[in-house]
Amino acid sequence: MPSTPAPTGAPAGSHWEELVTVALLGTTRRTPPGVTAGRDAPTALLDAAAMETVRRRAGMRPGRAAARVEPAAEDSRPALPPAAARRLTMLLADRPGAGSGGRRGTAPDLMELLPQWLATANRHGYAAPPQALPALLDAARGRTDIRPAVLAFAGPRALWLARLNTDWRFALRAAPGGGAVLPGPEEPERIRALWEEGLFAERVALLAAVRARDAAAARDLLATTWASERAEDRLMFLDSLRTGLGAADEPFLEGALADRSRNVRATAAELLSALPGSALAGRMAERAGSCVAIDHTRGTPTIAVEAPHECDPGMERDGVVSKAPAGRGERSWWLGQLVESAPLGTWSRRLGGRTPEEIVALPVADDWRDELHAAWCRAAVRQGDPSWSRALLGTSAAPEAGGPGAVSLAERAKLLGTLGAGERAEWVAGFIAVHGLSEAFQLLGVCAVPWAGPLGRAVVDALNIARDAGSYPWSFSGVMGLAERCLDPAEAVRLEALTAVPDESENAAPGAGGYWAESFQRLVTTLRLRAAIQTELTEP
Amino acid sequence: MTQQGVRWTADQVLALAPDTASRKAGSKLGAAGPWSEAGSSDEGAVWGLCRGSGSKPYRTVIDIADSTGPAYKCSCPSRKFPCKHALGLLLLWSGEDGAVPRGQVPDWANEWIEGRRKRADDKRAEGAAGSSPAADPEAARRRAERRAEWITTGASELEQRLTDLLRGGLASAEQAGYGLWEETAARMVDAQAPGLAARVRELGAIPSSGPGWPVRLLEECALLHLLDQGWLRRAALPEGLAATVRSRIGLPGSADGPPVRDRWLVLAQYDTADSRLTTRRVWLHGAESGRTALLLSYGAAGRAPELSLPVGLTLDAEVSAYPGAGQLRGALGERFAAPAPTGFRPPGVDVARAVARYGEALRDDPWLESRPVTLARVVPTPDGDDWQLADADGELALPLTPAARSRSGLWRLVALSGGAPVTVFGECGHRGFSPLTAWPEGPGEAVTLC
């Protein structure tokens, strides 16, 4: 009974109670109230109960309103264009779980397009349609990778909702202070209070926010409580200094080199080594330089390596880990760490003014080449040095680029990350043209989306070659999936020709032609859909 | 048909899907990729060829202007209705501009559409000319009398069961379990009283339905007794109430009320299913007449019912009422145009008025579980573990029914409101309020909650 029955005098309620009691026990044990002679008791009871039931229902009244919820904060962003709102409904209707199993058919994976859709919508600064918020939050609950984009798009109302439904608590965790707005620079006492009394997650978020705004202020804030923080918290806080790292951070980081915790020391050393002008970088350059020299006694200039003979306390204090992992010689282990932490600018001075390309091309005596090049790779990634990255990558068409060489594919992918988007795409396109797709997946993952023209063409051509070579498309499903998400939608036209089922050639795998046509159809459909999504989100 | 003005939304199209798997499969086909030669005509036909895994593409046609709801035909082997191709084509048509251009209906599609419409016209003409000439009124009268005798026998037997139950006490019903009621329900089916059978079956489920079951069982037994008595004494009842009793017993009525032409706004559409049957309810609201009408459509287990209307659009059509006092059920007659978008919203009342209306409706139909109503300016408000709709400008509130609290639509409603007033259409009854469709305060489309 949701509401109170009409108060038609006290007996009404009690009369009904009485009827229920009699009905439970049965009329053989109890006589119902007001039974007139000549009527049998059960019928009289049913008559009275029918009367009472309809009366109670007809006399219902609304209840009192509970305490009102504070309304959600205003979202001043413009509403989505109607077509884009409809598209969002469709993307969200494509929930995982009810899949058709292994074969993917010709239909696009709509859920896979959601991240792109969200990124575009966020770029335009649209507000989410309120009624779509539950489905968006459910999607983000299952997929942590899209959470930041979903929460940005979903806006303040999503946090308001998350406070009412425990399934969506993750949204509050992601937003410090349960969605409370972080204090701004004009509220120093609020910043101070949150820093001193906040939960760990709130403090991490606060520090990150302040650091993004004012690097020095964040460092000063951290310094106020540094000594009293727990070791694992110090590690997290120190890590937040990566953002906006600069020469001014050096004294603080130098202090952290003496920290009680080894992890904190190592992180401080790593950060200092990324500052080429720092004293630590200088010490490392000194140490590494003393191990590497040009040997002119041979026919051609050759790099000679003299690995360190010991790991002294000074090296340890600067973050060098003295104990080598199992199976590694300790001298080469120390050398790798020194070279990795030395500013790359050291080498040109040390090795006769040569350019990075010339240095990388020099022969290395006594099998030290792989060790040395691998350390330079780590240094180039850590210091974000494109000219060294370029030199270490070499030309993508070189046979050793396809591995195995001194530089692994994973390291190549990281090196590519230091180059500009155009150059990166060009290098990977060249790589695919020579080495095909089987090794390219990791490299494609670091390229900017949508893929530049030459890269897209290289991928499509390579897929085409793979088809003609008679393999099955699922051997390339990883690259296919990437292509669906990353190819420039304008490429759809060029792909049209590939969607037909080709005649089976002699050496092809049976039925492969049909599967390839299906895969290409899905690719084209997905590209069209992505083009439509872009249009829908940009229309006025 | 493809002017921006009368497109449906993706939500409206997806609501046609017979199940979740079809929704998903249809969504995937809602892009231009697999489609070729797609087009639409001003008369409400949409067609296209969909490439599947075979060599021949499937031919899909939809007639959205048909008088009984969209009709579909597809050459695919799927037993789902509508199939994923029909859903995908409608999504394509509702979505991108130019994906389904206007054009001449191709022959293969036209043949089917013409055939359908001709059959429908023939049927209407038949209906207008009175019942089919083969029917023998005398034989029909004899059949009706015989059936009434069976029902009387069944109702008397049921009365006997109820009095036996109350003599022994409801506490014993808990031990008796489901079998006793199943058997009685079967007897009612034999007596050709499906309405009684359905109520008896529900009785069987009450003892295991959690705390407070004796109260609910007594209420349901009493209302069943009231219905039996209504039937046994139907000759003494006023005609309206007698008609209500007949329809509650499960006798087929016919919508013989005068057809009312109006712009009917489709307020809500939802399905309830048991193992045998899917029942679809569609609520309409006449913009001019102000009347609310209920359309019912049935599908055998596993198939979507035929009738499907897009929520939030209006329909220029005729609706005829079924007999019975306070009866809202109607039958959809001729449609004069395809459904079109509208800015119209049903006028709403406050929660006190909504509850009072249900109470008043019980006078005509004491068996009524709930009454459709639109609440204006209410705010969904949490009340402990429950939810209520509270007047934005007052202190009164209606609790949501237990079923509504566990539907995902609840969260769509809460999100739409964001703590601000909304307009909500739903069913208001003795269990509380069951929200079905909502509109934001400002401009905005109808949001379905079921």
Side-chain angles (χ1 to χ4, degrees), chain A residues 78-266:
Chain A
L80 273 181
R86 285 198 289 267
R87 179 73 62 194
L88 175 63
T89 306
M90 283 168 67
L91 297 186
L92 289 169
D94 186 43
R95 286 293 174 73
S100 52
R103 224 176 106 200
R104 297 185 51 209
T106 59
D109 260 336
L110 298 181
M111 203 64 189
E112 287 299 334
L113 297 178
L114 189 59
Q116 264 182 44
W117 190 99
L118 288 165
T120 313
N122 283 333
R123 250 199 322 281
H124 288 283
Y126 289 120
Q131 62 270 25
L133 292 177
L136 278 166
L137 285 166
D138 283 345
R141 187 187 175 196
R143 287 186 52 177
T144 47
D145 59 316
I146 58 170
R147 272 184 198 179
V150 165
L151 293 174
F153 177 59
R157 194 170 290 204
L159 299 176
W160 178 88
L161 269 181
R163 280 195 283 275
L164 297 169
N165 185 341
T166 51
D167 284 355
W168 300 326
R169 246 187 320 215
F170 68 86
L172 302 179
R173 280 201 301 276
V181 185
L182 283 172
E186 69 288 349
E187 307 170 284
E189 58 292 333
R190 258 195 76 199
I191 292 183
R192 177 56 52 102
L194 187 60
W195 180 248
E196 280 167 8
E197 296 153 27
L199 299 168
F200 175 67
E202 291 170 343
R203 300 178 69 214
V204 169
L206 175 70
L207 190 63
V210 176
R211 179 75 176 177
R213 210 164 49 211
D214 177 352
R219 199 180 52 245
D220 296 344
L221 187 65
L222 180 54
T224 56
T225 59
W226 178 253
S228 58
E229 303 286 359
R230 300 179 329 159
E232 55 265 40
D233 294 0
R234 286 202 300 278
L235 188 62
M236 276 293 281
F237 292 139
L238 194 61
D239 212 53
S240 67
L241 299 185
R242 272 179 210 282
T243 320
L245 187 67
D249 295 316
E250 193 186 344
F252 183 84
L253 293 170
E254 270 288 343
L257 285 177
D259 199 89
R260 296 187 299 281
S261 152
R262 202 183 67 185
N263 284 332
V264 173
R265 291 199 299 275

Side-chain angles (χ1 to χ4, degrees), chain A residues 101 103 117 181 251 279 290 313 340 343 367 391 422 432 438 459 494 503 518 520 537:
Chain A
R103 224 176 106 200
W117 190 99
V181 185
S290 68
E340 180 182 353
D367 294 337
I432 290 172
S438 43
V459 172
R494 288 188 55 252
D503 295 331
E518 205 172 72
F520 280 123
L537 283 163

Side-chain angles (χ1 to χ4, degrees), chain A residues 282-297:
Chain A
R283 294 194 293 273
M284 285 297 188
E286 187 74 30
R287 292 179 185 123
S290 68
C291 300
V292 179
I294 294 277
D295 177 359
H296 291 286
T297 60

Side-chain angles (χ1 to χ4, degrees), chain B residues 180-334:
Chain B
L180 166 79
W181 296 112
E182 261 313 301
E183 184 202 332
T184 310
R187 304 278 301 144
M188 294 306 115
V189 172
D190 292 345
Q192 298 207 8
L196 293 178
R199 284 181 166 271
V200 169
R201 233 176 263 121
E202 278 171 27
L203 281 190
I206 293 176
S208 57
S209 66
W213 68 265
V215 170
R216 288 194 295 278
L217 187 56
L218 179 58
E219 284 180 336
E220 290 309 318
C221 287
L223 289 171
L224 190 49
H225 163 73
L226 191 63
L227 186 53
D228 286 334
Q229 292 300 326
W231 172 260
L232 297 172
R233 306 178 202 180
R234 62 192 181 283
L237 297 179
E239 180 40 39
L241 191 54
T244 301
V245 168
R246 280 197 296 273
S247 89
R248 290 276 173 198
I249 289 278
L251 280 172
S254 60
D256 47 13
V260 178
R261 180 170 177 179
D262 202 336
R263 286 181 300 115
W264 296 95
L265 169 64
V266 183
L267 288 174
Q269 169 175 310
Y270 68 100
D271 293 352
T272 46
D274 61 20
S275 56
R276 301 173 191 69
L277 198 67
T278 304
T279 305
R280 174 163 296 168
R281 287 177 174 76
V282 181
W283 285 110
L284 302 176
H285 182 89
E288 275 115 47
S289 64
R291 280 182 33 186
T292 302
L294 170 68
L295 305 178
L296 289 176
S297 172
Y298 300 96
R303 292 198 57 147
E306 278 268 326
L307 177 71
S308 188
L309 296 172
V311 171
L313 300 192
T314 52
L315 204 60
D316 178 3
E318 286 176 342
V319 173
S320 311
Y322 276 80
Q327 173 67 268
L328 297 177
R329 188 179 169 194
L332 190 60
E334 179 157 5

